[in-house]
Amino acid sequence: MSTLHTDEAKLGSPHYYNNRELSWLAFNKRVLEEAIDSRNPLLERLKFLAIFSSNLDEFFMVRVAGLKDQVKAGFGKPENKAGLTPKQQLKQISELNHKLVDLQAGTYNDVILPALKKEGIVFLSLESLKEDQLDIIEKHFDEHIFPVLTPMAVDAYRPFPMLLNKSLNLVVKLEDHSETEEFRAKTAIVQVPAVLDRFIPIPSGEKDCSYVLLEDVITRYIHKLFHGYHVQSVTPFRITRNADMTIHEEGARDLLKEIEKELKKRKWGAAVRLEVRKNGFDSHVLDYLLEELEIHSGDVYEIDGPLDFTFLFGFYKELSSKFEHLTYETFIPQPPKDLLADDDVFQTAAVQDLFLHHPYESFEPVIDFVRDAAEDPDVLAIKQTLYRVSGGSPVIEALKKAAENGKQVTVLVELKARFDEENNVQWAKELEKAGCHVIYGMTYLKTHSKITLVVRRKNSLIERFVHLGTGNYNDQTAKIYTDMSLITSDYHFGIDATNFFNYLSGYTEKPEFHHISVAPFDIRTDFLKLVDQEIDYHRHFGNGRIIAKMNSLTDKAIIMKLYEASIAGVKIDLIVRGTCCLRPGIEGISEKIRVRSIVGRFLEHSRIYSFHHNGENKMFLSSADMMTRNMEKRVEILFPVFDVKIKTRIFSMLDIMLSDNVKAREQDASGDYHYVSRLPHEEEIDSQAILRKLSYRVSEDEE
């Protein structure tokens, strides 16, 4: 253990930490920069605008909502890293986010729309349409839109409606000339139907693809809903609500029913954000909305463009098949290097560990692992954890088939996986109906680990096969998320997996494991121990090195230990895609630490932890980030990589990522991120592009 003694009070100074929420906004800015980056295909840039908005919706529904709850409850204590109170955080979030939202709208109006126009793709205002085009649009409104609309009057008998979270609505101010002046003004709400496309194609008589926005069409013809009234103004608006769930687990007799009950409440939480179109709202209407929604003026966002850019996901889908040259070149995940096309997963895993790197390598072997086990007459049991799965999941189908074939199937379905609760409730019911034994997780903990155990009897002997990974058992996200996994028949991994599932499903203390480390708490303890050991190795040999790749870094105990290692001279490279509360490059504190973030075509999701240990090169993969919630509030698994060839492959991938000078940004000592600088003569290194090419090369070599 390290004998280095550092002043903990000094290392805990708020000046050395980034606030978690502001750091996340900095990450979302990097997503927005991908929409600005002209090196990306045009329609992909359009999609990044949608991703930015989708990310922001969730941020408001959970993180901002949580801070607002703290303020309402009178909680004013500063958070334990950057030292900001909830009110201070909300103020800084509002200031930074208003700038980002303005940048997003400016990018859409000034960069994306002109570029689309050059390709013959245009959004038109109704005022610019010719008479025959307006006739077509009006007919479309009468036949396809009008029947779906529901005007909701607001008066003494019909109060302001409870509007759905993230819905787009119109406030309509009306005049009734049959009333006295005192009662002449009327108000109604019309919801823009989410079941209809936000973009409506219009015939232009040219090769151009021309569209108008649904809300603009409704606004133009909205008078048809209010016969006998004069429409004074129409104000589009969108609200975001608190969508965090409060689940009383201890007293719940049936967690599944408790979550189903909470899901119904989620849609109607307190409003935390109001969006209106810039220069497109009635100021009196805005005051009215603020009062009705009980929302602060600082939570109003005036958008210079359409509300809710997530509609661009659908627009991307509409255009991508027609304009393939404006999208990423099609990439097909390749056969894994460790598994030839005709190889049997179990036969191969019986003699060597199999390494898979998604999406560069196909996710199909993982599906085959479960599917083949379901059909194999020698397989006795399958046990698996599920956090997020796709719709129509082949993994779910294989588990159901296994149960129907008489195998013992145990599935932990994490019902508390945020925003997947409804899907997971449905999957849990389906699996139970098929005869699987389904468990819902552990009290007050989310089971976030990714593990499958297959127990098979061969020649009267029991053998175990284990799949461990950094990502979910989701065949769809496996095409766009970078993740790593291992299939092994190692005896001690098999014992660990058996004990782990018994720990989840029964009443037993956390077991002692041979290879794996499990959160809560043990993974943090092991991380701290590994860093301490690296400090000691560096003191004796001068070659200390830590490389860690993760989604987010927030845990203060781990950050302080990394600062301690930096002070001792250990070189530390961190690849952190999202939130990072650690600040690198601070004189005397973190000079030996470099932090980079890679945001590109694929979402970087793998978690890799490497400790040099004077040439021992300890390598781990994990379902866990170095976040406090992962260390304390989730059931996670950290597992070692023993195979030298696999470790060498992962090291080479890390080297490529650490050399990236196209999609990588580095954090400076003030917490700001900048693209990695590249000299004019230096070769461009796009790590994801290189890894794609390498996966093709591997496939060609095998042929």
Side-chain angles (χ1 to χ4, degrees):
M1 294 291 288
S2 168
T3 57
L4 181 68
H5 298 289
T6 306
D7 186 347
E8 285 193 15
K10 181 185 177 185
L11 291 184
S13 169
H15 301 296
Y16 302 150
Y17 296 85
N18 299 313
N19 171 262
R20 171 178 169 164
E21 318 306 347
L22 298 176
S23 180
W24 184 91
L25 286 176
F27 154 68
N28 211 30
K29 181 185 178 185
R30 298 195 287 279
V31 172
L32 182 55
E33 287 171 347
E34 291 301 304
I36 299 169
D37 190 344
S38 60
R39 293 171 296 192
N40 291 325
L42 181 55
L43 290 183
E44 304 299 342
R45 295 164 68 187
L46 192 80
K47 191 196 282 188
F48 276 112
L49 287 177
I51 295 170
F52 174 87
S53 285
S54 177
N55 288 348
L56 206 52
D57 283 346
E58 186 170 330
F59 178 73
F60 271 94
M61 288 189 289
V62 179
R63 304 304 304 177
V64 173
L67 289 170
K68 285 184 172 293
D69 284 345
Q70 290 182 38
V71 172
K72 283 180 186 175
F75 183 84
K77 187 178 177 183
E79 41 97 13
N80 76 337
K81 287 185 280 289
L84 298 177
T85 66
K87 280 187 177 179
Q88 289 172 327
Q89 291 180 70
L90 286 170
K91 184 175 183 293
Q92 292 191 34
I93 287 168
S94 179
E95 290 172 356
L96 176 55
N97 205 42
H98 274 87
K99 292 176 183 176
L100 292 178
V101 167
D102 287 345
L103 178 60
Q104 180 193 30
T107 301
Y108 176 76
N109 292 320
D110 303 332
V111 180
I112 302 299
L113 287 184
L116 287 172
K117 189 174 182 179
K118 287 181 181 178
E119 298 290 340
I121 304 165
V122 291
F123 274 107
L124 298 174
S125 67
L126 290 172
E127 290 73 25
S128 68
L129 298 185
K130 298 172 184 175
E131 192 171 329
D132 60 330
Q133 292 174 320
L134 282 173
D135 289 341
I136 292 169
I137 289 296
E138 184 170 9
K139 186 179 179 183
H140 179 82
F141 174 84
D142 292 338
E143 294 180 359
H144 299 283
I145 302 173
F146 182 87
V148 188
L149 300 177
T150 303
M152 295 175 282
V154 182
D155 53 32
Y157 300 96
R158 292 164 291 194
F160 191 89
M162 181 60 81
L163 300 170
L164 195 65
N165 182 30
K166 298 192 292 180
S167 61
L168 181 58
N169 300 275
L170 307 172
V171 177
V172 187
K173 296 299 290 183
L174 302 160
E175 269 190 337
D176 180 2
H177 291 290
S178 66
E179 293 276 10
T180 63
E181 191 169 336
E182 185 181 355
F183 297 102
R184 187 172 290 173
K186 306 289 184 184
T187 302
I189 306 288
V190 177
Q191 190 164 99
V192 177
V195 293
L196 300 178
D197 286 337
R198 284 279 301 282
F199 46 91
I200 301 170
I202 56 173
S204 62
E206 301 170 6
K207 292 182 179 179
D208 289 356
C209 292
S210 302
Y211 299 87
V212 290
L213 288 171
L214 173 62
E215 59 267 33
D216 291 347
V217 174
I218 295 173
T219 297
R220 184 177 183 93
Y221 300 109
I222 205 163
H223 62 273
K224 296 189 178 193
L225 289 169
F226 303 102
H227 288 293
Y229 291 82
H230 171 68
V231 176
Q232 270 190 325
S233 69
V234 180
T235 301
F237 73 98
R238 181 176 185 258
I239 54 172
T240 314
R241 296 186 178 279
N242 183 334
D244 215 6
M245 297 203 312
T246 304
I247 302 166
H248 304 287
E249 297 181 47
E250 195 68 57
R253 295 181 63 185
D254 187 329
L255 185 63
L256 187 143
K257 288 181 179 177
E258 182 77 16
I259 286 178
E260 285 184 303
K261 190 167 63 179
E262 286 297 318
L263 281 170
K264 292 175 183 176
K265 297 180 187 176
R266 167 183 275 173
K267 300 172 183 177
W268 319 115
V272 293
R273 177 179 57 165
L274 171 64
E275 296 168 279
V276 294
R277 284 182 77 163
K278 196 170 189 176
N279 304 321
F281 64 89
D282 182 323
S283 59
H284 297 295
V285 168
L286 180 58
D287 293 338
Y288 169 72
L289 288 172
L290 290 175
E291 183 179 350
E292 289 291 342
L293 296 169
E294 298 180 349
I295 201 163
H296 189 269
S297 58
D299 298 314
V300 176
Y301 287 78
E302 297 180 20
I303 311 298
D304 187 11
L307 300 182
D308 186 15
F309 279 110
T310 62
F311 86 90
L312 294 174
F313 283 123
F315 195 54
Y316 172 92
K317 193 173 181 181
E318 163 84 4
L319 295 174
S320 56
S321 59
K322 302 175 187 175
F323 297 87
E324 290 185 17
H325 65 288
L326 301 181
T327 64
Y328 288 129
E329 184 182 346
T330 301
F331 172 71
I332 300 171
Q334 297 298 292
K337 183 178 181 180
D338 289 350
L339 201 62
L340 297 176
D342 297 327
D343 283 354
D344 178 272
V345 173
F346 290 97
Q347 286 181 4
T348 311
V351 295
Q352 69 176 72
D353 288 350
L354 304 180
F355 174 72
L356 306 170
H357 188 201
H358 316 298
Y360 309 106
E361 295 180 332
S362 173
F363 189 71
E364 200 63 29
V366 180
I367 297 171
D368 290 343
F369 180 67
V370 185
R371 190 183 282 149
D372 292 352
E375 298 289 353
D376 188 339
D378 293 329
V379 168
L380 306 176
I382 303 173
K383 302 184 181 186
Q384 187 171 42
T385 58
L386 295 178
Y387 192 75
R388 301 186 198 276
V389 292
S390 65
S393 168
V395 172
I396 295 280
E397 292 305 312
L399 292 169
K400 287 158 63 176
K401 186 68 176 176
E404 289 163 7
N405 287 342
K407 303 183 191 309
Q408 183 78 21
V409 180
T410 303
V411 188
L412 187 146
V413 180
E414 182 47 76
L415 297 182
K416 295 170 287 185
R418 183 173 284 137
F419 300 121
D420 268 335
E421 299 96 341
E422 196 166 354
N423 288 337
N424 288 3
V425 164
Q426 187 58 39
W427 288 131
K429 289 179 177 178
E430 280 196 31
L431 288 164
E432 284 179 334
K433 197 173 180 180
C436 302
H437 175 55
V438 180
I439 50 181
Y440 305 146
M442 303 180 77
T443 306
Y444 297 123
L445 300 172
K446 286 185 183 180
T447 303
H448 189 247
S449 47
K450 330 294 183 184
I451 181 171
T452 303
L453 169 66
V454 173
V455 181
R456 189 167 72 166
R457 181 168 47 213
K458 188 176 182 182
N459 301 326
S460 300
L461 296 174
I462 293 294
E463 56 183 8
R464 298 176 177 92
F465 295 87
V466 182
H467 175 268
L468 291 155
T470 68
N472 300 307
Y473 290 104
N474 188 317
D475 55 298
Q476 294 305 309
T477 58
K479 296 173 184 175
I480 54 174
Y481 287 18
T482 71
D483 274 304
M484 296 179 174
S485 63
L486 203 65
I487 298 176
T488 181
S489 60
D490 178 275
Y491 176 77
H492 288 110
F493 269 126
I495 296 295
D496 283 354
T498 300
N499 291 336
F500 176 77
F501 278 105
N502 290 342
Y503 167 59
L504 292 182
S505 64
Y507 290 114
T508 181
E509 292 182 353
K510 190 188 294 182
E512 292 292 324
F513 295 106
H514 296 279
H515 292 331
I516 70 173
S517 178
V518 174
F521 301 112
D522 287 359
I523 292 180
R524 178 197 276 147
T525 299
D526 287 346
F527 275 146
L528 297 176
K529 189 184 298 182
L530 285 162
V531 178
D532 268 333
Q533 290 171 350
E534 196 64 38
I535 292 170
D536 280 346
Y537 278 118
H538 184 77
R539 191 177 65 235
H540 287 101
F541 304 104
N543 56 8
R545 181 88 192 277
I546 297 170
I547 306 173
K549 179 182 181 294
M550 68 203 84
N551 296 302
S552 296
L553 171 57
T554 68
D555 190 73
K556 190 170 184 179
I558 293 175
I559 292 172
M560 289 176 70
K561 185 60 67 175
L562 291 172
Y563 284 160
E564 191 177 325
S566 173
I567 293 167
V570 176
K571 184 181 178 184
I572 303 170
D573 279 300
L574 303 176
I575 306 169
V576 186
R577 185 195 81 233
T579 303
C580 182
C581 294
L582 177 149
R583 284 192 181 182
I586 301 172
E587 187 177 351
I589 299 294
S590 56
E591 289 170 287
K592 292 289 185 178
I593 304 177
R594 181 170 58 150
V595 175
R596 57 173 40 208
S597 170
I598 297 172
V599 178
R601 173 176 181 172
F602 303 128
L603 184 138
E604 292 290 342
H605 194 254
S606 52
R607 290 94 166 188
I608 311 166
Y609 303 101
S610 164
F611 303 86
H612 184 257
H613 275 35
N614 192 38
E616 190 179 345
N617 291 325
K618 286 198 171 184
M619 171 81 72
F620 303 86
L621 302 178
S622 183
S623 60
D625 294 311
M626 288 179 166
M627 299 182 74
T628 303
R629 72 180 188 190
N630 298 87
M631 300 296 103
E632 297 180 3
K633 297 178 182 179
R634 293 189 173 190
V635 179
E636 306 274 13
I637 292 177
L638 174 77
F639 58 97
V641 178
F642 294 122
D643 187 285
V644 175
K645 288 182 180 178
I646 295 174
K647 282 204 284 189
T648 301
R649 281 188 67 193
I650 297 174
F651 273 124
S652 70
M653 293 169 189
L654 288 172
D655 282 341
I656 292 169
M657 293 177 214
L658 291 171
S659 302
D660 193 311
N661 56 21
V662 174
K663 293 299 182 183
R665 286 83 156 173
E666 284 197 353
Q667 186 192 158
D668 62 26
S670 64
D672 295 326
Y673 283 81
H674 310 276
Y675 278 101
V676 171
S677 57
R678 185 177 70 252
L679 295 173
H681 64 275
E682 280 187 312
E683 179 187 359
E684 284 193 354
I685 300 174
D686 179 338
S687 58
Q688 292 187 354
I690 290 171
L691 290 170
R692 283 200 309 276
K693 288 176 183 175
L694 287 174
S695 70
Y696 278 124
R697 190 179 303 164
V698 165
S699 178
E700 289 164 3
D701 289 347
E702 288 174 352
E703 290 175 6

